[in-house]
Structure formats: C-alpha cells, structure tokens
Amino acid sequence: MFMNAYDLIVIGGGPAGTAAAITAARYGARVLLLERGRFPRHKVCGEFVSAESLQLLAALLDGSNPSSLRVLQRASRIGQGRLFIDNRVLEIPIEQPATSISRFELDAALWRAAEDAGVDTRQQQPVQRIARNGQFIVSSFGEEFAAHSVINASGRWSNLKGSDPASHGPAKCLGVKAHFFESAPPTSVDLYFFEGGYCGVQPVKLAGGDHKSRINVCAMVRADVACSLADVFTCHPALRERSAHWDPLTEPVATSPLVFGTPQPEQDGMLMVGDAAGFVDPFIGDGISLALRSGNLAAESLRAFLKGQASLEQTARRYREAYGQGLLPVFRASSKIRALFALPRPLRSGLLHLFGNAPALTRYLVRKTRTAG
C-alpha cells in the first residue's frame, strides 16, 4: 500500500502535461504533476499559438488566478505570415489570427491553473523510473508514487521513453532561441529559409515596459551550418540586414538533436502527449496547439477508465485511434511540406511562383497543418 496514491500521474509540466493534469483534475481525478525543472523558464519554441487552440487554452486558464488569463488577453495578435526564400517573399494571410505568447509566461500560467484545479504539483522533481505491477509505480528522488494511469509529457528525449538520442547518430539539427529588442516590429510571423535551416521572427509580449518592441527569434538549423543565432543571422541576406538593428533581451537557449519520426501516442500502457508522442516541424506553427490538444485528449480518454467503465488497454486503443484521426494528419502534412522545401532550387522556385499566384492553394496548405478547432 502506497501513501502517495493517485488516479493519474503526469510527467512533465509543459503545455501538454498541464493540459492533461487540468482536464483530469476538473472531472474529479486525483492528479500528481511532476516537473524536473522550475518555472518560469525560457524554452526553445516559436511561441506561436494557432487560433485553433485558443479556445482550449482559454478554457484551461479560465477559473484560475486572473493574472494567468491576462497572459492570453494581452498576447500579440499575428495576422500574416511571410516566407523569405530563394530571393522571394511569399505572403500568407492567417485567416484566423494567431497569438504569440512567451513560454516564459505561458508555462507558468498553465502551472498556476493546474494548482488552482487541485492538482498536486511538484517542481524540480525528475522521474528516474516507472514500473508497472498492476498499477504504475513512479520513482523520484527516493520517493515512490502509485497511480492507476500515467501520461508521459516529458519531451522529445527522456530516460522514460527507452529512446537514446545517440542511437540516431550525430546531432543533425539543433534549435536555438532568444528574445531581442526591435524598434516597431511588424505584426507578422516571418520565416527566413536558407540552405540547411530556417529562422522564425515574430513579436512577443512580456509583462513589463518592452512589450511593443520584444521579438522572439527561433531557428532550426543543421549543426554543420550554424551553432548559434549569430551564425544563423549570416545565412540569409535579409535576416543579416534586419538583425543588425537588434539588441538581445535574453540569453540564448538551445536544444538538440531535433529528429522527426512517426508519432507514438502510447507506450507500455502510458499515454504519450506533446513532443513525447512526436516532434512536429516547428515552421508549421502548430506545436503548442498539438501539445495542448494531445494532453486534453489523453486525459479525456482516461475518464471512462478512471470511472471503472473501461480497461486501460481499451483506453490506450481509443487514444491511439483518436490521435490518429485528429492529430496525426498534421505530422503528415508537415512532412510533405518539408519535402517541398528540400527540392532542388529550380523546382522549388517554380512551386513558390505557383503559390504566390494561387492564394487559395496557399491557404489550403496552411489549413492542412492545423488541428481541428
């Protein structure tokens, strides 16, 4: 008999983990949320929140500390995308304006919302091991916690996934991000593509006096092309010229390797959410939406199991099916678009010309990279 017994243990306190914890706690589950880091913190992220996830995000934050909901209310609105590639600028209207929210504030707000929902939240609590013997036994810092179910939101690389980044060979791509000061930045998300990677730039607000001039700069690049944002800025002429007028506001943060693969929404009876399930190409701008929706979907999938109305195996199967229908198409679409950008330049230029002269086609591609609202 374990004194620390729960209906659900969620591992990882980012958007996917907190969405799962809040959802389950609100329908009455006893939830433990374990996070190895400490909030607030900066994360490598484009910080783009698509319109399709705003209603869910608002619902998750609603009823919590008013300061949490203000994070969403004061967020920058993004109504246009611009692609700088092959000496062209392709303008893409964002039919339903997105928002730009710093992970520094978003993650902390969702964590507070989890606390307000009654979740037992623990920061700086890394998980070393998970065993299963009728129930799940989660070990952390000499403590053991028992639960009927586990949701893994621990990210791309974790000792809990049975996947070693070294097994994928040398780190091919890395992500790096920082905030900068830019005088009067445009209200668009700008993507600068170059051989070996790309860099995204968009306005982002934080509480404080620089809210009209702060930008998030986040790049994904091959490690043999660039290893820092300073190197990235030299890879595209327009980006080099624009970045010359920026002043840093934060220290850069980086992550690697970035490896794409087929999502795995379930493993050994645990429901996988966010990047733990699958890493989506950042340029599509739906990573946070996928995290929120997968966390919410996993928690909703567990509802019948926690009420004794379904087995864990049935629950895992239903979650895999729902993930495949609602979220997997975004991964497939992003993979196809990534292949287009990897075409030889003459072919790519022809396609860019077609997109530039066929706005309906461009809007269709954007819709294919969005989760259902």
Side-chain angles (χ1 to χ4, degrees):
M1 173 69 68
F2 286 79
M3 296 298 293
N4 299 318
Y6 298 87
D7 295 317
L8 168 65
I9 295 176
V10 180
I11 303 169
T18 48
I22 294 167
T23 301
R26 286 182 178 171
Y27 63 63
R30 295 166 297 164
V31 183
L32 172 65
L33 176 59
L34 301 175
E35 164 57 39
R36 64 184 176 184
R38 187 165 186 82
F39 298 108
R41 65 183 181 193
H42 287 284
K43 294 282 287 184
V44 178
C45 178
E47 301 182 334
F48 180 95
V49 185
S50 61
E52 289 76 12
S53 62
L54 291 178
Q55 185 174 355
L56 172 58
L57 178 56
L60 292 169
L61 295 176
D62 189 32
S64 63
N65 190 304
S67 65
S68 297
L69 201 53
R70 282 198 294 270
V71 170
L72 178 57
Q73 292 168 343
R74 70 165 177 259
S76 300
R77 295 299 187 262
I78 307 295
Q80 183 183 42
R82 298 190 299 175
L83 274 59
F84 296 76
I85 181 172
D86 295 343
N87 299 318
R88 296 178 60 94
V89 180
L90 183 62
E91 296 187 355
I92 303 174
I94 300 175
E95 295 177 330
Q96 299 181 67
T99 63
S100 179
I101 307 177
S102 167
R103 289 288 299 273
F104 187 83
E105 292 190 334
L106 176 62
D107 288 10
L110 284 166
W111 186 268
R112 289 193 299 269
E115 292 176 330
D116 293 337
V119 176
D120 183 354
T121 57
R122 315 243 183 140
Q123 297 185 48
Q124 295 181 301
Q125 189 95 37
V127 172
Q128 281 84 38
R129 188 171 63 90
I130 300 175
R132 188 180 177 190
N133 183 17
Q135 58 186 342
F136 291 92
I137 309 301
V138 176
S139 303
S140 173
F141 277 156
E143 289 187 87
E144 288 190 335
F145 306 93
H148 300 300
S149 56
V150 169
I151 290 178
N152 186 343
S154 60
R156 289 187 311 279
W157 301 117
S158 168
N159 59 311
L160 308 176
K161 290 180 61 178
S163 180
D164 180 4
S167 67
H168 292 267
K172 293 184 179 181
C173 287
L174 60 90
V176 58
K177 165 215 162 170
H179 286 179
F180 290 83
F181 172 91
E182 181 180 48
S183 179
T187 57
S188 60
V189 54
D190 299 335
L191 297 173
Y192 296 84
F193 286 86
F194 48 85
E195 211 60 45
Y198 55 88
C199 181
V201 181
Q202 69 185 42
V204 65
K205 293 180 180 178
L206 276 180
D210 64 351
H211 62 280
K212 293 183 179 179
S213 54
R214 180 182 289 258
I215 56 172
N216 175 43
V217 180
C218 190
M220 190 183 86
V221 61
R222 283 206 326 257
D224 61 338
V225 172
C227 292
S228 68
L229 282 176
D231 294 336
V232 167
F233 296 161
T234 67
C235 294
H236 192 290
L239 181 60
R240 183 191 306 118
E241 180 180 354
R242 182 177 176 180
S243 63
H245 306 286
W246 295 344
D247 293 317
L249 294 174
T250 67
E251 291 293 325
V253 289
T255 184
S256 68
L258 303 181
V259 179
F260 305 102
T262 302
Q264 297 182 345
E266 182 265 338
Q267 180 179 337
D268 300 328
M270 296 184 294
L271 305 190
M272 313 293 282
V273 299
D275 284 353
F279 177 61
V280 73
D281 222 316
F283 73 78
I284 71 167
D286 220 32
I288 293 178
S289 181
L290 285 166
L292 294 170
R293 292 194 174 280
S294 61
N296 175 256
L297 179 62
E300 288 291 355
S301 298
L302 282 167
R303 188 193 290 247
F305 166 70
L306 295 178
K307 289 184 175 182
Q309 299 171 351
S311 68
L312 188 59
E313 290 70 23
Q314 290 172 324
T315 296
R317 183 174 66 253
R318 290 170 184 168
Y319 175 62
R320 289 195 302 268
E321 292 172 352
Y323 191 103
Q325 293 173 3
L327 304 182
L328 188 57
V330 176
F331 289 86
R332 292 171 175 160
S334 69
S335 177
K336 292 176 181 178
I337 295 173
R338 189 186 330 126
L340 292 178
F341 285 130
L343 290 172
R345 182 164 178 169
L347 289 176
R348 189 172 63 215
S349 296
L351 286 172
L352 291 173
H353 179 77
L354 174 62
F355 293 146
N357 289 280
L361 177 59
T362 305
R363 289 194 295 270
Y364 170 78
L365 285 178
V366 171
R367 285 196 299 271
K368 296 295 286 184
T369 66
R370 294 290 176 260
T371 55

